[in-house]
Amino acid sequence: MLELAVLGLLHESPLHGYELRQRLKATLGSFRAFSYGSLYPSLRRMKDAGWIAEDEGDAEVVAGAPPLTGKRGKVVYKLTAEGKERFTELLAEAGPSSWEDEQFGVHFAFFSKTEPEVRVRILEGRRARLEQRREGVRSSLARTRERLDSYTLQLQEHGLESVDREVRWLSELIETERRNVPPR
Amino acid sequence: MLELAVLGLLHESPLHGYELRQRLKATLGSFRAFSYGSLYPSLRRMKDAGWIAEDEGDAEVVAGAPPLTGKRGKVVYKLTAEGKERFTELLAEAGPSSWEDEQFGVHFAFFSKTEPEVRVRILEGRRARLEQRREGVRSSLARTRERLDSYTLQLQEHGLESVDREVRWLSELIETERRNVPPR
DNA sequence: CCGGGCTTATATCGCCGCGATACATCGCGA
DNA sequence: TCGCGATGTATCGCGGCGATATAAGCCCGG
């Protein structure tokens, strides 16, 4: 999850942790945050896996203005060849995981680097997922409507409207995609 | 988090794990799920803490139709006195945690059992939180708009609209609350 | 009558993300 | 010069999630 996001950002340019998090916020917006408590462990995992590497070159010894102090330089990460491979691999996969709440937003953020047909499949998968969830809630709501107090009811209905909105949004996106890339 | 939800549901009637989860889905709707992987550990923790207790009485020996088999009866949980205390305590607290994304929905679901003034404070806190987040995203968006590709942009804007919607919803709720309970 | 598949039911495991926290450096204005 | 806010790296424990295991009760068709 974070993995995909990090690969995507580093795909554009090498970055250090802090900057990476700024970009994460700027790219995913109100959608998702990702704290350092996720980021650094993730970076370590990815480094161990060999997808990314530390890029010396920014923290180099500049004839050390303050050389005595430990001088912990910025740790700049960049994609390795395997990392690039992994990234395209992740971009290509359009399985159920790609359209779950958390995954979807990240996938979507890198749609410009994703194959058009994959884009459509993900959008449709996402929409189907939401519609199915919505029907579940709707029917359960119909069954228990009178037993619920007004607050619970309002919560449910606000939720349903949100889902409706997202479904409509997805439908527009799908149509746009189809116009640009006619089926077959 | 789950703790509050469980206390709230058991406050109405004793339930066993499975049923508890059904109610959770019915009550929180599209808002939040809570898997068994969260529920059972949480029940254990709450039992250890003394908020809930196993209620024998459903799985009692009915002159055992199938008595030889291990016959694992349903484990029915009910609130203890401390549990009720804990519940009202949690309902009363309107701190920053109450209006974070995850907490808010659960708190809201039990608003009918919450003091009117606490309700308003939580709703306002939530709204303020969202507005602050929105401004952060907005300004960051204004700064980097031209650098983003169209997909990222659409994601951001969809996100912003969602936040707007929720802010409007909250404002309506606050006004309704105020009408029913005029300030002071 | 029995076997297969669905729902009900309880439970655990490892992973991952989160918030809190701890440091340490740097530039800036009071 | 002092302190504060931004930059920067890092860890810890906790809580939730999805996958998975297990098993009993169920009804329907063969």
Side-chain angles (χ1 to χ4, degrees):
Chain A
M1 244 253 70
L2 225 188
E3 183 184 320
L4 175 56
V6 169
L7 289 173
L9 287 178
L10 292 187
H11 191 260
E12 286 155 17
S13 68
L15 293 169
H16 57 97
Y18 189 83
E19 178 76 10
L20 208 35
R21 209 225 166 187
Q22 307 299 97
R23 299 290 184 96
L24 240 22
K25 280 197 286 187
T27 309
L28 305 187
S30 51
F31 186 74
R32 210 124 199 291
F34 290 120
S35 68
Y36 293 116
S38 319
L39 184 56
Y40 286 110
S42 179
L43 285 172
R44 165 174 288 278
R45 285 194 299 270
M46 293 172 70
K47 199 181 127 191
D48 289 349
W51 315 128
I52 62 176
E54 287 180 25
D55 182 10
E56 298 310 320
D58 197 19
E60 96 260 27
V61 192
V62 210
L68 297 176
T69 73
K71 181 56 180 168
R72 175 158 68 167
K74 296 184 194 177
V75 185
V76 178
Y77 296 96
K78 63 172 180 185
L79 278 198
T80 62
E82 294 101 314
K84 279 174 202 170
E85 243 176 83
R86 177 73 178 147
F87 181 53
T88 49
E89 192 187 316
L90 284 175
L91 276 191
E93 84 180 28
S97 60
S98 343
W99 43 68
E100 285 308 313
D101 301 296
E102 344 71 41
Q103 288 271 43
F104 171 74
V106 180
H107 245 105
F108 188 84
F110 296 103
F111 258 23
S112 61
K113 296 191 172 68
T114 306
E115 289 300 317
E117 6 142 5
V118 177
R119 293 203 286 250
V120 180
R121 263 192 289 143
I122 291 180
L123 290 171
E124 284 176 338
R126 173 71 179 164
R127 186 175 56 178
R129 186 78 185 73
L130 286 181
E131 279 169 343
Q132 157 195 333
R133 256 232 300 268
R134 180 178 58 180
E135 286 328 301
V137 176
R138 258 208 235 290
S139 70
S140 140
L141 191 55
R143 261 184 285 115
T144 63
R145 168 165 236 106
E146 57 283 352
R147 255 177 294 164
L148 300 176
D149 64 274
S150 76
Y151 288 109
T152 312
L153 208 57
Q154 268 175 287
L155 185 63
Q156 304 265 1
E157 272 161 9
H158 177 71
L160 277 181
E161 281 165 36
S162 299
V163 177
D164 276 341
R165 254 193 86 244
E166 189 170 344
V167 169
R168 264 178 272 125
W169 181 62
L170 289 168
S171 296
E172 279 172 40
L173 289 169
I174 290 167
E175 221 190 303
T176 308
E177 290 288 333
R178 286 215 190 293
R179 253 199 304 280
N180 295 349
V181 186
R184 321 283 129 219
Chain B
M1 243 255 68
L2 225 187
E3 183 184 322
L4 176 56
V6 169
L7 288 173
L9 287 177
L10 292 186
H11 192 258
E12 286 154 18
S13 70
L15 293 169
H16 57 98
Y18 189 82
E19 178 76 10
L20 209 35
R21 210 225 166 187
Q22 308 300 97
R23 299 291 184 95
L24 239 22
K25 278 196 285 187
T27 309
L28 304 186
S30 51
F31 186 73
R32 209 120 200 291
F34 290 120
S35 69
Y36 292 116
S38 319
L39 183 56
Y40 285 110
S42 178
L43 285 172
R44 166 175 287 279
R45 285 194 300 268
M46 292 172 70
K47 200 181 127 191
D48 290 349
W51 315 128
I52 62 176
E54 287 179 26
D55 182 11
E56 297 311 317
D58 196 19
E60 98 260 28
V61 192
V62 210
L68 296 176
T69 73
K71 183 55 179 166
R72 174 161 66 167
K74 296 184 196 178
V75 185
V76 178
Y77 295 96
K78 64 171 181 186
L79 276 199
T80 62
E82 295 100 315
K84 279 174 201 167
E85 241 176 86
R86 177 74 178 146
F87 181 53
T88 48
E89 191 187 315
L90 283 175
L91 277 192
E93 81 180 31
S97 59
S98 344
W99 44 70
E100 283 308 311
D101 301 296
E102 344 72 42
Q103 289 271 43
F104 172 75
V106 180
H107 246 106
F108 187 85
F110 297 103
F111 256 23
S112 61
K113 297 191 173 67
T114 306
E115 290 300 319
E117 6 141 6
V118 178
R119 294 205 284 253
V120 181
R121 261 190 293 142
I122 291 181
L123 290 171
E124 285 176 337
R126 173 72 179 161
R127 186 175 56 177
R129 187 80 184 75
L130 286 182
E131 280 170 342
Q132 157 196 330
R133 257 232 298 268
R134 181 178 58 179
E135 286 327 301
V137 177
R138 258 208 235 291
S139 69
S140 140
L141 191 54
R143 260 184 287 112
T144 62
R145 170 164 235 106
E146 57 282 356
R147 255 177 294 164
L148 301 175
D149 62 275
S150 77
Y151 288 108
T152 312
L153 208 56
Q154 267 174 288
L155 184 63
Q156 303 267 1
E157 271 160 9
H158 178 70
L160 277 181
E161 280 165 35
S162 300
V163 176
D164 276 341
R165 253 192 88 246
E166 189 170 344
V167 168
R168 264 179 271 125
W169 181 61
L170 289 168
S171 295
E172 280 172 39
L173 289 170
I174 289 168
E175 221 189 305
T176 309
E177 289 289 333
R178 286 214 191 289
R179 253 199 304 279
N180 295 348
V181 186
R184 320 285 128 216

